[in-house]
Amino acid sequence: MDQGQAHIEQAIARLNHFADGWMPGEGPRAKSLDTPAKSPEDALVEALERINAPQAKGLLDPLQSSREEFDAFVRRVRELVSYYAVIETTSDGAVIARTLVGWTGDFKSLWRRDLTPEQVRLHERNVRAALARRAVLIRLMSVISASAAKIALRLATPGAQLLVLPALWQFIRDVIEELRRAEAQGAR
Amino acid sequence: MNNKKTGNDSHFESANDDAVAKSSSAPSQFEANSAMDELRAMVIPSSSLAAMGLEAAAKKNLPSGQTLGDALKSFIRQLTDSLSQVANDLSSLEVRTFSSDDMSQVHYDLNSGKFIGPVKPRALTRISLDGDTDIVVPEKGDELDETLWAAHVSMVKEAQATRAQFIGSMAEMATRLIALFS
């Protein structure tokens, strides 16, 4: 698992923890990393309290960019449903292989003539990594959906699940950024 | 049981890849956000989509002006339709291997489900639900070299390893999304 996927997995775990424990009017239970900035959990609580407020509609602007990003994320996940993966490997600027993985898990691979064993291994690794990334992406969509459903049940606002989704997306972003910041500071 | 057969190019008829035509692609906002490098790394590069001939089809069904709720409901329909289709098509797993002297001249045709251009079908493995395996390789005179055979075998292993997990995770996502609106 590469670092990016590891960050997403950690963000997923924190979202699960939050969704299981949070109730309206309560503060976050999960503790953020040691940082003076507002934690992702704190920011999510604020967003959810805004959604839960009767006058919430006019106060959702902070989530506008998150909503647009989440829309784009949904479109990306939809692509996976249309065609799970198209994986291309290049070596020295030339394409050496392309693999299409269809919805039923069938593979179609096109390889350059005169392949070397090293090039085969390179594409094999590339395919494996790409499929692993897609698995994480699908899991992220599943967890965001499940968390939105759980949280929306505790909110008084009708249709809250659709308002919650961008807030959860923002939370995932915030956690990833926090982890990256922490790693950058640790590397200094 | 491992049943090895030989055959010729006629064994490589097109697979049913109509689902490709339902693809959608709108990378602009998502890819423009530098804070999302990790997530961005997970999406299909648009250059690959173009190379595979998928981009045009992707744009064909791009939902524009939909609300998030509409987009998600439409997505749920797409997911459940696809899962139903998959349920009818799980009797075997197919891995096809092709080669080309000029990769830049090859694109993937959505309607026929074929690579178009200077390609040669090189190997096909079909694994049935009961474990029976058919392997089709070129006739004598057009032999499959060892490296390409190793490439084919590696893709077969990968397909076997990922299929169950893939379909399971898609089904779980569908369940979670449906629960969101129930």
Side-chain angles (χ1 to χ4, degrees), chain A residues 3-5 7-8 16 67-88 95-117 120 123-124 127-128 130-146 148-149 161-162 165-166 169 172-173 176-177 180, chain B residues 15 17 19-20 22-27 29-31 33-39 41-44 48-49 51-52 54 62-63 66 68-69 71-72 74-75 78-79 82-83 86 89 92-101 103 106 108 113 115 119-120 122 142 147-148 150-151 154-155 158-159 162-163 165-167 169-170 172-173 176-177 179-181:
Chain A
Q3 191 183 49
Q5 289 175 55
H7 286 171
I8 293 170
N16 270 327
R67 202 188 78 79
E68 289 167 4
E69 282 183 10
F70 186 73
D71 284 351
F73 171 66
V74 170
R75 282 197 294 271
R76 285 299 190 183
V77 177
R78 288 185 70 165
E79 285 177 7
L80 300 188
V81 177
S82 303
Y83 215 93
Y84 189 51
V86 181
I87 303 142
E88 185 174 275
V95 177
I96 57 172
R98 286 177 191 145
T99 292
L100 287 95
V101 182
W103 235 94
T104 55
D106 292 343
F107 278 46
K108 282 182 188 171
S109 294
L110 174 67
W111 299 82
R112 195 175 77 177
R113 278 259 198 201
D114 305 323
L115 275 175
T116 65
V120 172
H123 185 60
E124 192 182 329
V127 167
R128 193 170 299 137
L131 294 180
R133 287 193 200 105
R134 279 155 181 73
V136 173
L137 195 64
I138 290 169
R139 212 164 90 71
L140 178 58
M141 184 77 209
S142 293
V143 170
I144 287 177
S145 302
Q161 67 270 44
L162 292 179
L165 286 168
W169 174 257
I172 294 290
R173 276 193 56 161
I176 291 170
E177 286 187 3
R180 292 170 79 182
Chain B
D17 285 328
V20 177
K22 295 172 187 168
S23 180
S24 62
S25 176
Q29 292 161 342
F30 195 72
E31 292 191 341
N33 193 318
S34 61
M36 299 304 289
D37 289 347
E38 287 89 352
L39 291 174
M42 294 182 168
V43 302
I44 301 168
S48 292
L49 285 172
M52 301 307 293
L54 300 178
L62 182 67
Q66 275 189 330
L68 179 58
L72 285 171
S74 161
F75 180 32
Q78 184 188 1
L79 254 179
S82 298
L83 282 167
V86 166
D89 200 16
S92 68
L93 177 65
E94 277 192 1
V95 177
R96 293 165 184 259
T97 294
F98 303 81
S99 70
S100 175
D101 291 326
M103 300 280 285
V106 182
Y108 188 76
F115 287 112
V119 297
K120 277 192 170 184
R122 308 300 297 174
D142 191 15
T147 307
L148 199 55
S154 75
M155 291 298 108
E158 201 59 45
T162 57
R163 184 188 224 187
Q165 182 199 13
F166 160 56
I167 293 170
S169 60
M170 286 291 192
E172 184 185 347
M173 180 167 65
R176 299 283 174 89
L177 280 167
L180 190 61
F181 289 97

